[in-house]
Amino acid sequence: MDVSKFARILLKLYFVNLALYSIFSLLDLKNFETIFWFLRIPILIGVYLLVSVKRQWIYIVALLLYQVASMFIASNNDKQFFLYGSISSILFKLCLCILVFNLVKSKNRLAVLVATIPFFVIYLYIIYFVHLKLSNSLNFWIINGFLTSFLGGVSVISYLNNPDPKEYWLLITSLLFIAQTGAFFVNKFYLQNEGISQMVILFYGASHYTFYKFLILKENEETIKN
């Protein structure tokens, strides 16, 4: 089978897996839910390795760190595991920040800093509602918030300077990161609701796909130039 065709099949499988994960989550069938939850990242890694022309390993490391963070955070509300998950999540975002800052054209630091501030304010506002529940993880989520906001700042400035499909996908990723964090905190610490839980699943699945699209388009652009 042609590699590109197999990659397209895997990408469709990613969305089928996401839909099944959502359905089994709604039905509260934990065993099946866990299986499809776990398969999301391995499938995406497989797609990236097949499609990518550069295979940037920092992205693979980032996805693995996300998987580790998800496993710790999902561990029955154990505070120590949640702390480990919070640290892993920071490392995941740090890898993405390094990757994005090395790839985007605009590196106007002052403009990026100014664009970061509104995202960070929104993030801090979200954290404020759950800060008592975060306890010893609070500082880590503030750092996570800054890294997420930095991605938002870079994406906004990059899109304003060069509004093409690559920058569009990056901008959508940043907005999804903010939305998914808010939905996650509300669902975990404030108001547990199946509708919000489904939003978290959708936002996380969509943000991974949109970042993958940005990265592949950017790699292809760099390959053409070289």
Side-chain angles (χ1 to χ4, degrees), residues 12 23 25 30 42 45 59 62 65 69 94 112 116 142 144 153 174 179 181 186-187 197-198 210:
K12 290 178 182 177
I23 291 169
S25 174
K30 294 298 182 184
I45 289 175
Y59 177 58
L65 284 167
L94 181 61
V112 168
T116 295
I142 291 174
N144 192 311
S174 301
T181 302
V186 169
N187 187 62
S197 177
Q198 292 301 309
T210 55

Side-chain angles (χ1 to χ4, degrees), residues 139-154:
N139 291 334
F140 292 111
W141 282 101
I142 291 174
I143 296 171
N144 192 311
F146 179 77
L147 293 174
T148 305
S149 303
F150 175 77
L151 282 173
V154 172

Side-chain angles (χ1 to χ4, degrees), residues 42-62:
I43 292 173
L44 191 59
I45 289 175
V47 174
Y48 176 72
L49 290 176
L50 287 171
V51 175
S52 174
V53 294
K54 290 193 172 183
R55 295 187 178 179
Q56 304 194 64
W57 293 103
I58 190 172
Y59 177 58
I60 304 297
V61 171

